[in-house]
Every structure is written in C-alpha cells, then in structure tokens.
Amino acid sequence: ISEEEPSTIVAASVKKVSDTEIEGYVSRKAGEWNEYTVYFVARVNQPFGSMGGWKGTEIVNTASELKTDLNQDFGAFLKFSLKDNQTVLLKTGISYVSIDQARLNLDTEMKPFGWDFDAVRLNARQVWNNLLSKIKVEGGTETDKMKFYTNLYRAYCSRTIFSDVNGKYTDMCEKIQQVKDPESPVMGCDAFWGSAWNLNQLWSLMTPCIAEDWAKSELELYDKGGWLPDAPGGLEYSSIMVASHQVPLIVNAWQKGIRGFDAQKAYKAMYEIQMNPGRPHECGGYVGNRNLQVYKQMGFVPANQGPVSNTLEYAYDDWCVAQMAKALGKMDDYKYFMQRGQNYRNV
C-alpha cells in the first residue's frame, strides 16, 4: 500500500472461508494519529485448489489461515488449475467496521451484476459519464477537453466514503457508530487543501446533493468527537492542514440554498472552532486552529509563532462565520466576526 504518511502494520490476517472465498483484515498505524483496520472479503468465480502466502521473506506454500503481528511484508496467493479458456474473476468488499460488514458491502453492491464483468465496467462508465456530463464544454482542442474532464473527474474521485451500505462506521475513537440515514454517508479525505477557493464552489453548483452530504458528514463527526474535522483521514482528527476550511464548505452550501442539515448545530460547531484554541484530542490527533490564541490577541499570526499566512486563512474563515451569523439573524456575532475578518490587513 502506498501512503503519504509512513505507516506500520500492527496486525494482519487472511483466512480461507471456502474454495471460492477468503476474508481478512489489516490493522495499521499511520503517522502520529491515524489508527485503523481495513476488513475485506474476496470472492472468485473459479474454485482454487489451495491458498498460500508470505510473511516477510518466509514463503508459506499451503495454509488455511495466515497471521502476523509484526510490521513486515505480508500477503496471500491462490493456486488454480485452469483450462486454456477459463478466466478468474475477482470481487472484493471492504469495511472499516468488520468482516461481516465487508461481506454485506460486497453482496449489496455486486448483487445486480452477478459475475458479469462488462456489466460492472459499463455501470461505472455510466455513473461517471452522468456526473461529468453535467458540464458541457465546447471549442478548444481535444487535448483541452481531455484536460478539463480529467481534472473534473479528479475533483470527485479524491474523496472517500467511510461508512458501509447500512450506515455503520468506525469513528475517531475507534467506536462503531450508526448514521440515521445510510443514503447520506460519512466521508473523509486528505484534508480540504485549498477547497475553499475551488472545490466548494464546484461541488455546490454541480452536485448540491454531494455538498449537502459533506455538510451532514461534518456534523455527524462533530457529534461524535466534539470538533469539526478539517481533514478526516480515516475519520480521525489529523489537523494536517492549516485553518478550518470545513467552515466555508458548510457556509457555502447554506448560502446556495442547500439546507438539508441542522443550521443551528452547524453554526455552533463553526463558532466553537473559531473561538477555542486548538489542542490535542483525547482520541488522538489534533483539533482546531493551532495559532488561534495569538491571532485573537494580536490580530495576526507572528512569524515566530506560526505561518504568517495563517492570518489570511483564519480571517477568511472568520468572514464566512460572519455570513452564516447574518443569515441566522445573529447580528452581534456577525459584527464581531466581520471585524475579525479584516485581520488580513494587519500583515
């Protein structure tokens, strides 16, 4: 697995369930904050004769179960006896909750297709085509169009659904939770890097339902962990990006008439994160704005205490909170955060 943050394997397992199915998990710790377990079920359309694998440099030719609790290269292989015209097809399902949930995800999502590979491929093609065709561009060269739609695709594929088909998910404290509406999933990403300037606007104009799901997901995680997450990688509080640009994500949705979430709760969550200094979270990671205290005292972030550019980041989020306060009739808060929103002038 290739990851931005160096990670270590805590434990892993692969088990033979039948001659067409295996199951297992891998538990990893990435960086200083992200601990997670990915459970999987894999199914093949041709029976395999035996399963083997490797642990580090040790090759195990035949085994019904392989396990490790060491940080080492680890994997499994299946042995088939096939005729020339036979092809092996593979289905996989994953979950951050349990093996049973991984199997449920697999069964639910793949049931319409059976073992028809082309049907799966065409369905994926149609889903993406329906999304990308919401914007039609004309003129330019074929290369220009290719660049446009490739980047439009990337604007959506870089985010992850962490909840299962029935709405179960594992929160930042490694507790199993259940969303009220499984159709509105819990989502995560590698932070909202610059999304305040581009993705927020794109999502809310092109796919308001996704913008609404993001706002609801943020509030779901706020309910469980007490803070809005700015980068719910593995649904944990990473704070790997400065400021709290989940604030403009939510405000942008509300200002565009996307109202399928609790506005008062959203405002409370945004107010708290812009008023309370950042700190380590009891379940790991870091929450809030690291330089907020000095920013509130001085009206800017001095170079000897943090990135000076955080002044602009914080001020923009303050301005966004002001707009939400005004929309909800909280005029004292509106005036306060509008004043803070001018702090960018101090640098």
Side-chain angles (χ1 to χ4, degrees):
I1 299 175
S2 176
E3 295 173 296
E4 182 178 357
E5 291 283 335
S7 68
T8 57
I9 293 177
V10 178
S13 169
V14 181
K15 180 181 178 181
K16 177 181 177 181
V17 178
S18 70
D19 60 1
T20 56
E21 187 172 301
I22 60 174
E23 65 182 27
Y25 62 86
V26 57
S27 298
R28 304 179 77 94
K29 181 174 176 62
E32 299 178 353
W33 51 271
N34 199 359
E35 298 177 81
Y36 62 93
T37 299
V38 178
Y39 300 91
F40 77 90
V41 172
R43 201 171 290 156
V44 288
N45 69 326
Q46 304 283 0
F48 57 88
S50 64
M51 181 182 81
W54 64 94
K55 295 188 281 185
T57 58
E58 177 192 0
I59 304 295
V60 181
N61 282 310
T62 304
S64 59
E65 186 172 11
L66 296 161
K67 284 188 173 182
T68 186
D69 56 5
L70 301 175
N71 181 37
Q72 60 182 350
D73 194 16
F74 178 81
F77 53 79
L78 307 178
K79 298 178 182 179
F80 295 86
S81 296
L82 301 175
K83 298 177 181 178
D84 289 344
N85 63 345
Q86 288 182 309
T87 302
V88 176
L89 298 177
L90 173 70
K91 298 177 181 179
T92 60
I94 65 169
S95 169
Y96 291 90
V97 175
S98 69
I99 289 175
D100 286 342
Q101 286 289 117
R103 186 172 285 111
L104 176 65
N105 290 338
L106 173 60
D107 290 339
T108 303
E109 294 179 346
M110 296 306 297
K111 185 177 180 180
F113 308 107
W115 285 104
D116 190 337
F117 179 85
D118 287 333
V120 176
R121 181 179 63 83
L122 291 172
N123 178 74
R125 182 181 179 89
Q126 187 62 51
V127 168
W128 277 111
N129 194 52
N130 288 343
L131 177 62
L132 300 179
S133 63
K134 288 178 180 290
I135 296 179
K136 182 179 180 180
V137 295
E138 297 177 344
T141 66
E142 195 65 21
T143 299
D144 292 333
K145 293 178 182 177
M146 196 177 297
K147 286 180 179 179
F148 177 84
Y149 285 109
T150 298
N151 285 296
L152 185 58
Y153 162 77
R154 287 174 173 163
Y156 282 90
C157 75
S158 60
R159 311 291 148 162
T160 304
I161 292 175
F162 277 90
S163 54
D164 294 332
V165 292
N166 60 352
K168 288 188 182 298
Y169 70 97
T170 300
D171 70 11
M172 67 292 295
C173 298
E174 279 70 57
K175 294 180 180 178
I176 297 174
Q177 305 288 356
Q178 173 73 53
V179 296
K180 294 179 180 178
D181 179 12
E183 294 298 316
S184 183
V186 177
M187 296 186 284
C189 61
D190 64 343
F192 300 116
W193 297 94
S195 65
W197 321 121
N198 46 50
L199 287 186
N200 293 356
Q201 293 82 354
L202 174 68
W203 289 341
S204 57
L205 289 170
M206 184 170 156
T207 51
C209 58
I210 290 179
E212 181 171 295
D213 283 347
W214 263 109
K216 290 163 71 174
S217 179
E218 281 285 315
L219 295 180
E220 171 72 20
L221 297 178
Y222 167 74
D223 281 341
K224 300 304 184 290
W227 290 76
L228 287 175
D230 68 342
L235 296 188
E236 308 231 4
Y237 289 112
S238 68
S239 192
I240 60 175
M241 191 194 72
V242 299
S244 298
H245 288 331
Q246 64 274 43
V247 169
L249 182 151
I250 295 171
V251 176
N252 168 72
W254 185 261
Q255 295 290 66
K256 285 192 172 70
I258 300 169
R259 304 287 170 88
F261 57 92
D262 188 331
Q264 296 297 334
K265 179 189 291 185
Y267 182 79
K268 179 174 181 288
M270 292 185 289
Y271 179 91
E272 290 171 358
I273 208 166
Q274 290 301 104
M275 292 297 289
N276 299 319
R279 66 195 69 171
H281 192 267
E282 58 267 25
C283 293
Y286 197 92
V287 291
N289 299 309
R290 292 178 186 271
N291 307 126
L292 186 63
Q293 191 65 34
V294 68
Y295 169 81
K296 289 175 65 179
Q297 291 171 349
M298 301 180 67
F300 64 95
V301 178
N304 65 343
Q305 298 212 29
V308 175
S309 60
N310 275 5
T311 305
L312 173 61
E313 305 282 355
Y314 294 174
Y316 176 67
D317 290 345
D318 285 338
W319 184 86
C320 289
V321 175
Q323 306 316 302
M324 191 71 171
K326 184 178 182 181
L328 298 177
K330 302 177 186 295
M331 298 311 295
D332 288 342
D333 286 357
Y334 167 70
K335 294 174 184 177
Y336 170 72
F337 281 108
M338 279 297 286
Q339 183 178 12
R340 270 180 40 171
Q342 302 302 306
N343 281 343
Y344 72 92
R345 297 181 176 186
N346 295 335
V347 294

